[in-house]
Amino acid sequence: FKKYEKTLREHPELLSLEDEIKQESQIILKKKALGELTDEELKAYHDKKAYFENHPLIVNYLNLKSEVNDYLIQVETIINEELLKAID
């Protein structure tokens, strides 16, 4: 996980793209609420987002991040169960 995180930091274009997507997401929401969103803008946003989300580095990073989170939840559950046993 840390390896992918470090590798991701070495790809400023991906980090920049992520920031762009976040900013465009807010713009899309505002334009949609005002009824000013065009199909072309929405398609361009979805294309950019799909490119980012399907990039192999991002896919691997997010999968590993999810696994790490799952492990942390399991550890937390085990610790909490043992603490409850100790209290009883």
Side-chain angles (χ1 to χ4, degrees):
F1 169 74
K2 286 292 186 182
K3 176 186 165 188
Y4 277 100
E5 191 173 53
K6 181 181 180 236
T7 304
L8 218 122
R9 281 192 221 119
E10 294 170 357
H11 286 82
E13 67 279 358
L14 285 176
L15 297 175
S16 175
L17 183 58
E18 182 181 28
D19 289 340
E20 284 179 37
I21 291 169
K22 288 177 183 177
Q23 291 173 356
E24 287 181 19
S25 173
Q26 293 174 355
I27 293 168
I28 295 284
L29 288 174
K30 288 177 186 176
K31 285 188 170 190
K32 187 173 184 177
L34 297 172
E36 298 173 353
L37 182 63
T38 66
D39 290 339
E40 293 81 22
E41 289 172 316
L42 189 58
K43 182 182 180 332
Y45 168 76
H46 283 297
D47 289 347
K48 189 180 288 189
K49 187 176 176 190
Y51 171 79
F52 178 79
E53 290 175 344
N54 293 312
H55 190 283
L57 186 59
I58 299 299
V59 170
N60 290 334
Y61 172 75
L62 292 177
N63 286 337
L64 289 172
K65 183 178 177 182
S66 178
E67 285 181 34
V68 167
N69 284 335
D70 290 344
Y71 289 136
L72 290 174
I73 290 170
Q74 289 175 2
V75 168
E76 180 184 32
T77 300
I78 292 168
I79 290 171
N80 286 336
E81 288 173 355
E82 292 301 317
L83 286 173
L84 286 174
K85 285 179 188 176
I87 292 172
D88 292 337

